[in-house]
Amino acid sequence: MHMHLFNKCCLSALLIISVITPAWAGEYHLGEGYSVGDINIAGYVNVVAEAPHDGKTQVVGDDLSLFVSGRFNRYLNPFIEAEFTSATLWHQSSTVLSDNHPVFVLERLYNDSNLTDNLTLRIGKMLSPIGEWNTIHASPLVWTTTRPMTTYRSFPEYTSGVGLNYSSQNTLLPDLQLFWQPDGEIRARPRDLVTREYEHTEGVHLNWAIGLTDKVGVTLQHADIKDSNEDQTLLGFNFRKTLGKFQFETEATHTHVNGSNPARVRDDEWGAYLLGGYAINDKWSTMLRYEYFADRQVSQGSRNALVGLVWRPDPAIFWKLEYVKQDGARLNIGTGIYASFSVLF
C-alpha cells in the first residue's frame, strides 16, 4: 500500500510539473531549484547504503525532499518542506523493492513576516534552532552519512508555533532566535522514527558569527515530554572554525530531566561530538569524528569514532563513505560501513 501511494504521488508530481512548465517560463539551476517569479521549487535526494556488523545490509531511500518557497512581499513569505523517508530499496535476503514502505513527513510549514529589516516573525512548523546541525540537516549540507546523536536525541527537532528571529548588525552582538510551541507538534513524525515526543516547548538560541563561515552558539530550551509527567531543560553549545583547508565543528548538550519515570536511570543526559574535516582539493575531503553520549535510560555510555571520505564532483552532488567503530551502549549508531549519495536539485 505504501509503495502504491509513493508511486502515485511521484506520478502526480510529474504530471503537475508537465502541465505547469509550459505556462511558467522560469529558470532551473542544479542546487538552486526552479525559479519562476517569486516562487522557488527545489529539494534533495539522499540514498544510503548500510552494512552494520550487528544488523542487516540494506540500501535505503533516506530522503526524497521537496521545498517550495515564495517571496511575495514584506509579510507574506511562505515555505513548505515535505519528504518521503525510510524507503527500503533493498536489504539482505530480499529482492529489490520487496519491502519498501516509505513514510511521508511534513518537515516545515511556516510563513515569515519581516517586521523590520532585522526582525522576522515566523509562524508555523519549523526546525528547532538548537545547535547548528539541526537547522542545516539536509544530507548534502552536512559532513557525514551517520548523524551524531548529540544533534537530535535529547530535544525536539521541530517547533510548531512561533519564532522571532533577530539579525544583529553589530559584530560584537549575537543573532537571536526565540521559539515557542504552545501545544503539540503539527503532524509529528511516526513514533518509530523519533526517540520521544515533546510539547509545550520554549527556548532561545544565541549565535555569534566569526568571520564569513565560522560561528559559536548557545541554546537554552525547556520542554514537556509527551505522555509522561516529565519535563526537561536543555543547555546546548555549538562551534565551528575554519583554518585554511581544515574545518572543525562541535556540538554539546546537557539535559536535566524532572519528574518520575521508572525507566530513567539518570536525571542528567548529555552528549558531545568533535569533527575535523580536511579539504584535499576542491572535490575530495576527508574527516574524523568522535562522539560520546550518555542516554537517560541506559546506564552505560555510548561512544562512536568515525573516519570518512567525501567526493563532491559538483557543488550540489555528494558521495560519502565512512567507517564507524562503536563501543558501549548500542543506541542509534553501530559499528560498520556506511555510504551515501545525495544531490540538491
Side-chain angles (χ1 to χ4, degrees):
M1 180 178 179
H2 291 289
M3 185 58 192
H4 175 71
L5 176 62
F6 179 72
N7 290 335
K8 185 177 180 181
C9 290
C10 289
L11 290 173
S12 299
L14 290 173
L15 178 61
I16 292 171
I17 291 172
S18 67
V19 170
I20 67 175
T21 297
W24 284 11
E27 294 184 357
Y28 176 78
H29 300 284
L30 184 65
E32 299 177 11
Y34 180 81
S35 296
V36 52
D38 298 319
I39 298 174
N40 177 262
I41 302 172
Y44 70 94
V45 174
N46 186 44
V47 179
V48 177
E50 305 175 346
H53 290 185
D54 59 352
K56 62 184 178 183
T57 299
Q58 61 180 358
V59 178
V60 178
D62 188 55
D63 288 307
L64 172 56
S65 186
L66 182 69
F67 313 138
V68 181
S69 61
R71 296 291 179 264
F72 300 112
N73 56 49
R74 180 173 176 177
Y75 298 107
L76 183 61
N77 302 283
F79 181 90
I80 182 171
E81 178 187 0
E83 69 179 26
F84 283 100
T85 187
S86 302
T88 303
L89 306 179
W90 171 85
H91 67 79
Q92 194 173 3
S93 303
S94 78
T95 58
V96 175
L97 299 179
S98 64
D99 191 24
N100 185 24
H101 304 290
V103 178
F104 176 78
V105 175
L106 179 65
E107 290 270 310
R108 290 179 277 181
L109 177 62
Y110 61 76
N111 180 71
D112 281 346
S113 297
N114 301 316
L115 305 182
T116 70
D117 290 342
N118 302 330
L119 189 63
T120 300
L121 175 66
R122 179 170 292 178
I123 299 177
K125 182 175 181 178
M126 64 203 82
L127 294 168
S128 299
I130 299 176
E132 183 182 13
W133 191 297
N134 195 55
T135 58
I136 63 171
H137 70 295
S139 50
L141 305 179
V142 294
W143 273 101
T144 59
T145 298
T146 52
R147 180 172 176 173
M149 293 179 288
T150 303
T151 66
Y152 69 93
R153 194 173 169 89
S154 293
F155 58 84
E157 296 176 62
Y158 308 93
T159 296
S160 296
V162 180
L164 196 62
N165 304 327
Y166 175 75
S167 299
S168 175
Q169 300 303 301
N170 188 329
T171 56
L172 298 178
L173 298 177
D175 294 340
L176 172 68
Q177 295 173 287
L178 296 170
F179 53 104
W180 173 57
Q181 177 174 303
D183 199 355
E185 181 183 325
I186 297 173
R187 194 176 174 91
R189 284 193 170 206
R191 189 65 181 85
D192 59 345
L193 295 183
V194 296
T195 307
R196 58 186 61 86
E197 295 182 73
Y198 302 86
E199 55 190 1
H200 310 127
T201 69
E202 57 269 340
V204 57
H205 178 73
L206 302 173
N207 183 77
W208 286 265
I210 308 173
L212 295 176
T213 60
D214 301 333
K215 60 185 66 179
V216 59
V218 293
T219 306
L220 181 64
Q221 185 251 9
H222 180 270
D224 293 337
I225 301 172
K226 189 175 180 180
D227 300 325
S228 171
N229 64 349
E230 298 173 287
D231 66 276
Q232 65 176 50
T233 301
L234 175 143
L235 180 63
F237 171 80
N238 61 277
F239 175 76
R240 186 174 70 196
K241 179 64 177 176
T242 304
L243 297 170
K245 292 187 175 183
F246 290 93
Q247 186 175 100
F248 301 92
E249 69 176 49
T250 184
E251 287 192 29
T253 59
H254 179 277
T255 304
H256 181 73
V257 187
N258 296 300
S260 60
N261 184 346
R264 195 172 75 238
V265 299
R266 58 166 61 90
D267 294 335
D268 293 284
E269 177 178 82
W270 67 276
Y273 82 88
L274 176 64
L275 184 148
Y278 176 73
I280 301 171
N281 54 41
D282 61 347
K283 290 183 171 58
W284 291 93
S285 299
T286 185
M287 91 286 293
L288 297 170
R289 189 186 79 200
Y290 180 79
E291 180 182 30
Y292 181 87
F293 193 87
D295 188 85
R296 68 189 69 180
Q297 294 184 346
V298 182
S299 59
Q300 187 180 23
S302 179
R303 302 173 298 279
N304 63 85
L306 176 152
V307 58
L309 189 65
V310 178
W311 178 46
R312 190 174 65 173
D314 182 276
I317 300 174
F318 291 77
W319 294 84
K320 303 173 187 176
L321 176 65
E322 57 205 48
Y323 175 75
V324 180
K325 179 67 171 68
Q326 186 269 339
D327 292 300
R330 173 67 156 87
L331 298 175
N332 299 103
I333 299 176
T335 295
I337 297 173
Y338 301 83
S340 64
F341 165 75
S342 55
V343 57
L344 285 166
F345 58 81

